[in-house]
Amino acid sequence: LKITKHNDLITSKVNFTLNEYRIFLYGIGLMNPLDKEFPLSYEINISKFAKIFNCDLDGLYTELKTEIIKRLHKRSMTIDKGDGWKRHFGLVHYVDYCDKQGIIKIIFDEELKPFVNQLKDNFTSYFIEKIAQFKSTYSIRFYEWCVMRLKQNEGKPTQFFLLIKEIRECLEIEKKYPLYANLKQRVIQKAFNEINAFSDLSVRYEEIKKGRSVHQLKLVVKYKKWEKKEEQFTLPFDPN
């Protein structure tokens, strides 16, 4: 996990699998970052988690025990402390699980608290059910970017720009989709289709070219509740 400041936003560069990402974000939503007690931890009831994300319970629990827990424990991040000093540490301190109760307890490293606070602040309006039906981690990332921009604009409809180069770098897919046509089909269009279909946001984008190549995207985003408000003012003409 690499968290950097870009255009006054805290963004994360991740290579989580979909279920890892769901667990991480689900946990962030459950945590209280203002709690003075360390280490930061949360418990996940696997049965409830499977229902929220419409997953096969047995398959999910097997994946958690045999793969996801091990991968989460290996995740790490590096922070810049200033004056040339950097600190590298594990994202997760340790993981406990109980087969009988179907519960997994994840304990984050104490060093992560400042970043958890920022994540929590950025996603006050981030509800897990909004992304529960997403099938792509890329959809979650685009959703995060949109939510942060909306929060900056106090929830009002807004627009912002994303360089194609930045999208590839943040999603760590520089080599996976070198052609823009593939990037558009497999990542961008799929992400916006899922966001518009399943979340509380309405997003559209325009391609901006530099020469013959698409250089950046202009995103126009708003909460769907704004669309309802706009419809209230779009009344049929009454000559009387």
Side-chain angles (χ1 to χ4, degrees), residues 210-224:
K210 189 175 184 180
R212 294 184 177 182
S213 302
V214 177
H215 178 62
Q216 61 181 333
L217 300 181
K218 174 185 175 182
L219 276 68
V220 180
V221 57
K222 57 187 173 183
Y223 286 107
K224 288 178 180 175

Side-chain angles (χ1 to χ4, degrees), residues 68-202:
I68 295 178
I69 288 177
K70 294 178 181 178
R71 286 197 299 262
L72 277 174
H73 198 266
K74 292 179 181 179
R75 301 298 186 194
S76 62
M77 67 178 293
T78 303
I79 59 173
D80 190 341
K81 298 184 66 180
D83 296 327
W85 284 90
K86 297 179 184 289
R87 176 171 293 175
H88 188 79
F89 57 91
L91 182 67
V92 175
H93 188 44
Y94 61 88
V95 179
D96 289 337
Y97 64 93
C98 178
D99 286 326
K100 291 182 179 180
Q101 298 182 34
I103 291 176
I104 285 182
K105 185 175 183 180
I106 299 176
I107 293 83
F108 282 124
D109 193 289
E110 190 173 312
E111 296 283 350
L112 194 63
K113 184 176 186 293
F115 301 99
V116 173
N117 280 335
Q118 285 182 318
L119 282 170
K120 191 71 174 181
D121 289 342
N122 282 332
F123 299 114
T124 301
S125 57
Y126 192 116
F127 298 105
I128 205 70
E129 63 265 22
K130 302 297 190 303
I131 56 97
Q133 296 187 64
F134 289 0
K135 301 300 181 183
S136 167
T137 56
Y138 306 138
S139 303
I140 299 174
R141 293 300 292 119
F142 276 103
Y143 182 87
E144 288 175 342
W145 289 329
C146 291
V147 168
M148 285 191 285
R149 287 295 188 177
L150 284 168
K151 282 209 67 178
Q152 282 190 332
N153 202 37
E154 299 179 344
K156 300 174 184 177
T158 187
Q159 65 181 36
F160 62 100
F161 297 85
L162 288 174
L163 294 172
I164 299 301
K165 180 181 178 181
E166 291 176 337
I167 293 173
R168 285 195 169 104
E169 289 177 353
C170 287
L171 299 180
E172 296 186 327
I173 52 174
E174 294 98 326
K175 296 180 180 180
K176 191 172 182 180
Y177 300 113
L179 297 177
Y180 174 74
N182 292 336
L183 178 71
K184 178 180 179 179
Q185 179 184 2
R186 303 286 181 85
V187 178
I188 297 171
Q189 194 59 55
K190 184 176 181 179
F192 292 146
N193 286 345
E194 290 193 339
I195 290 172
N196 285 322
F198 303 123
S199 81
D200 56 338
L201 303 186
S202 173

